[in-house]
Amino acid sequence: MSGYTFAEKALARAAGVSSARAGDILDVRPDLMFSHDNSAAIRRIFLEMGAKKIARPDRIAITFDHAVPAPTTKHAQNHAEIREWVKEQGIAHLFEVGRGICHQVISEEVLILPGETILGADSHSTHFGWLGAFGAGVGRTEMAALWATGELWMRVPDSMRIALTGTLTPGVTAKDVSLRILGNYGVEGGIYASVEFAGDTISTLSLDQRAVLPNMMAEFGAKNAYLPPDKAVFDYLDARRTRDYTPLYPDPDAVYAHDYTIDVSQLEPQIALPNQPDNVVNLSEALGEPIQQAFIGTCTNGRLEDIQAAAEVLRGHKVRCRLVVIPASSEVYLAATRAGYIETLIEAGAAIATPGCGPCMGNHLGVPAPNEATISSANRNFKGRMGTPDAPVYLASPYVVAASAVAGKIADPREVLPLSR
Amino acid sequence: MTIHRCWVYGDHINTDVIFPGKYTYTLKTPEEIAAHALEDLDPTFAAQVQPGDVIVAGKNWGCGSSREQAVTALRYAGVPMIIAASFSRIYFRNCINQGVLPIVCPELNVLLQTGDMLEIDTDSGQIAVHGQRFSIPKLSPSVQAILDAGGLVPMLQKRFGKV
Ligand code: SF4
């Protein structure tokens, strides 16, 4: 009998059964369930179900991040409704306006650990694969059911393996790897699958970099994504955690529906052209395209290393187009301030905003006008994603976004700075 | 055993053509929502669909956005089940949670044409068409229980004593 994939092991654990196989349907009890500004809508479905008390309030987290600080009265009312609900239900984890984006904040607070299962009412819940957890997104009705019962049915997905080999060259990042995966196999390439990364590249990536890969597998159609946790992950978690854990690893003879290998050592910076994240080319093919706005932030690329990358590129330069920088969390913001990166960015002409999603999905804090092109460090560039269908969005790494802000057109960071990394 | 008329479609039909995104926040009543089902895929569907008709589609039915209306629009139009070679992950879940039976059957959409009739026996798990038989994959008891209740909200309403 063949070995088990990560997904098979993780969901068996979460369902409290001894083993499971792809295709099995299990009742899963997640270790953490989270939502964000959509929690008021979830509350209304919960009440429609006739439920009264949240089943496991100690395992529920809510983050204000999608529209913070509230840009309109309507948003403020939405937030107020959620605050009231959190108090009434005794929900254990509420992260207020300014704390940051759900995926980043939950990672920093270490509310989820390797081998555990986390379900979020957000499509980028694949994010938590960075630390070896099973993370998947669910709909609002499903989150209401999770609040009501503490469990949800899950089909154990087939798995695919992506082995990354080699070391990235300076100025090339996990974002470029993610974009290349989308470029190679398309936005349906990972549909329904557990995307399980392997290979010697992973241990060479910083933790900030690692999070980009599972985060962007949402664009790949994946159910969840997974990176095998190593000592760097354990050290980070051990300094912060409050409970024990047992990491899970796929068996060496696990069966994968697809098995891909990508050598990253020759990879150049990548860019997704408008309007689909798999519309990916080498950066060299898009150089010189004019842009009106650059945006560095989001759950994909708003961490300390991303802001450091921007500061390295921008030091001593002035931007030639609008540059909006939004740290993914208050912890990132503080560290970036203390390291002097924020000062560098402001001197270069950047506008810094409160940690949160910012203009990522077109709510506020930097939405483009029709026909204005944006280059963004986010994960999605579907038509209308940033608020208007006529504003094209390019996706790239923070290095590329910062270099493009300096040039006022799409530019190669490797020409702007002598890269140390 | 029940007899159903089929609407047959191809591969990779996405939720935008099943229920256009521009209506997701403006249309509220079942009649309004059903009137736009499959609008950008098959303009004849909404006008001619009869309660009991089923969809027979190819691979990856329902890919794209997670909007639940892509299932409810069909449910409101009277479609009790959707047969496809495969479903996108979220669409499959939405079907179960909205009480619409998703049947994975890889061979069917190439055998059939819109207007053909098929027999479905959910008790014995069989589909009969043109003298051939296909089996309906069994769902786990917990998932079947959601369908039997009519969806996730009604199931939990029962559990929490609301109905
Ligand atoms: S930053 Fe963007 S992708 Fe990430 S959670 Fe917020 S809206 Fe979603």
Side-chain angles (χ1 to χ4, degrees):
Chain A
M1 207 176 66
S2 60
Y4 292 93
T5 64
F6 166 75
E8 288 170 334
K9 291 187 180 185
L11 289 181
R13 178 195 165 279
V17 297
S18 58
S19 67
R21 285 296 189 188
D24 288 354
I25 292 190
L26 304 174
D27 283 324
V28 166
R29 278 175 76 78
D31 298 281
L32 194 78
M33 299 155 269
F34 73 98
S35 51
H36 42 69
D37 300 44
N38 56 10
S39 304
I42 296 166
R43 170 179 172 264
R44 288 189 280 272
I45 302 171
F46 177 90
L47 295 175
E48 188 192 337
M49 287 171 174
K52 305 245 150 34
K53 282 300 283 178
I54 287 184
R56 299 162 69 202
D58 55 317
R59 297 296 182 139
I60 309 274
I62 294 177
T63 313
F64 291 122
D65 55 6
H66 276 56
V68 291
T72 66
T73 308
K74 238 180 137 188
H75 282 99
Q77 284 171 319
N78 183 52
H79 290 169
E81 183 181 338
I82 297 167
R83 283 191 195 97
E84 193 57 38
W85 178 245
V86 165
K87 226 188 286 161
E88 181 190 321
Q89 292 285 332
I91 289 171
H93 310 284
L94 174 71
F95 300 105
E96 262 297 346
V97 168
R99 180 64 185 89
I101 305 166
C102 51
H103 310 296
Q104 178 64 19
V105 172
I106 289 168
S107 297
E108 289 173 358
E109 300 277 341
V110 185
L111 297 182
I112 193 73
L113 289 161
E116 294 187 343
T117 291
I118 175 167
L119 298 181
D122 188 277
S123 60
H124 288 95
S125 305
T126 52
H127 185 92
F128 299 93
W130 79 263
L131 55 72
F134 185 98
V138 298
R140 292 173 182 186
T141 306
E142 296 181 310
M143 185 51 65
L146 278 164
W147 282 3
T149 67
E151 53 184 46
L152 190 67
W153 67 278
M154 286 261 126
R155 180 176 176 277
V156 182
D158 289 318
S159 296
M160 71 164 62
R161 202 176 81 114
I162 302 182
L164 304 176
T165 67
T167 309
L168 292 164
T169 53
V172 185
T173 67
K175 179 59 157 290
D176 303 292
V177 177
S178 306
L179 290 172
R180 179 74 343 251
I181 291 170
L182 291 165
N184 282 359
Y185 313 116
V187 285
E188 285 160 8
I191 197 142
Y192 195 72
S194 170
V195 176
E196 306 191 359
F197 285 95
D200 56 13
T201 306
I202 295 170
S203 62
T204 70
L205 298 174
S206 69
L207 301 187
D208 278 5
Q209 290 286 312
R210 289 187 204 187
V212 179
L213 291 164
N215 179 286
M216 282 213 70
M217 288 306 101
E219 272 55 64
F220 200 38
K223 175 167 193 158
N224 70 292
Y226 164 84
L227 273 65
D230 61 9
K231 185 168 179 304
V233 173
F234 303 145
D235 288 348
Y236 172 88
L237 299 173
D238 288 347
R240 298 167 177 238
R241 70 189 168 87
T242 56
R243 60 177 187 265
D244 291 333
Y245 62 91
T246 310
L248 294 175
Y249 298 91
D251 291 329
D253 58 343
V255 177
Y256 290 99
H258 297 280
D259 201 341
Y260 300 121
T261 300
I262 297 175
D263 179 1
V264 303
S265 48
Q266 304 297 323
L267 191 69
E268 290 180 36
Q270 303 290 301
I271 187 164
L273 310 177
N275 289 319
Q276 211 163 278
D278 62 353
N279 198 4
V280 174
V281 297
N282 284 337
L283 177 66
S284 53
E285 293 176 39
L287 293 177
E289 289 295 327
I291 48 159
Q292 283 72 43
Q293 176 170 262
F295 170 44
I296 295 171
T298 78
C299 55
T300 308
N301 277 121
R303 278 173 287 281
L304 185 61
E305 204 172 291
D306 302 318
I307 292 173
Q308 179 185 354
E312 284 174 14
V313 171
L314 286 158
R315 189 163 294 128
H317 293 282
K318 288 276 182 222
V319 294
R320 286 191 182 76
C321 72
R322 303 192 302 274
L323 170 63
V324 175
V325 178
I326 305 186
S329 74
S330 57
E331 187 175 312
V332 169
Y333 199 174
L334 195 56
T337 305
R338 287 181 175 146
Y341 304 147
I342 299 295
E343 199 176 317
T344 301
L345 296 178
I346 294 173
E347 280 171 351
I352 317 287
T354 306
C357 301
C360 179
M361 57 19 267
N363 256 341
H364 65 159
L365 296 176
V367 296
N371 302 317
E372 284 188 336
T374 297
I375 185 165
S376 165
S377 73
N379 43 42
R380 272 185 192 156
N381 60 346
F382 295 123
K383 222 179 179 54
R385 172 73 179 172
M386 292 188 77
T388 163
D390 312 314
V393 179
Y394 296 86
L395 304 176
S397 75
Y399 278 126
V400 175
V401 176
S404 305
V406 170
K409 56 191 182 193
I410 291 173
D412 192 330
R414 297 173 300 180
E415 288 165 11
V416 185
L417 81 170
L419 287 156
S420 54
R421 279 177 291 129
Chain B
M1 196 204 58
T2 48
I3 295 177
H4 303 267
R5 183 174 64 156
C6 310
W7 294 82
V8 181
Y9 301 109
D11 295 337
H12 304 297
I13 305 297
N14 74 76
T15 51
D16 280 324
V17 299
I18 300 174
F19 190 77
K22 62 185 176 225
Y23 301 132
T24 51
Y25 297 108
T26 51
L27 300 183
K28 297 254 153 63
T29 70
E31 296 77 29
E32 283 174 330
I33 291 172
H36 295 278
L38 301 186
E39 181 167 284
D40 292 337
L41 176 68
D42 180 353
T44 66
F45 178 84
Q48 295 175 16
V49 64
Q50 298 287 332
D53 286 2
V54 298
I55 305 283
V56 178
K59 284 186 292 200
N60 200 21
W61 171 265
C63 57
S65 144
S66 64
R67 73 183 64 116
E68 284 182 333
Q69 292 98 324
V71 177
T72 49
L74 295 173
R75 195 186 87 197
Y76 292 150
V79 173
M81 45 195 116
I82 298 170
I83 303 166
S86 65
F87 289 84
S88 92
R89 153 178 135 69
I90 296 178
Y91 196 94
F92 185 87
R93 294 189 69 87
N94 286 344
C95 279
I96 303 282
N97 294 332
Q98 296 296 330
V100 173
L101 175 64
I103 300 176
V104 179
C105 189
E107 301 94 344
L108 232 45
N109 82 312
V110 288
L111 272 182
L112 292 172
Q113 284 180 337
T114 292
D116 286 354
M117 307 302 273
L118 49 72
E119 292 174 14
I120 298 180
D121 187 343
T122 45
D123 294 335
S124 67
Q126 297 268 313
I127 300 176
V129 59
H130 299 338
Q132 284 180 264
R133 286 187 172 278
F134 301 89
S135 59
I136 302 175
K138 257 204 158 5
L139 294 166
S140 85
S142 57
V143 171
Q144 189 61 47
I146 301 173
L147 279 167
D148 292 344
L152 194 54
V153 171
M155 184 180 84
L156 290 175
Q157 281 177 337
K158 238 176 257 164
R159 172 151 161 194
F160 292 109
K162 188 148 178 183
V163 285

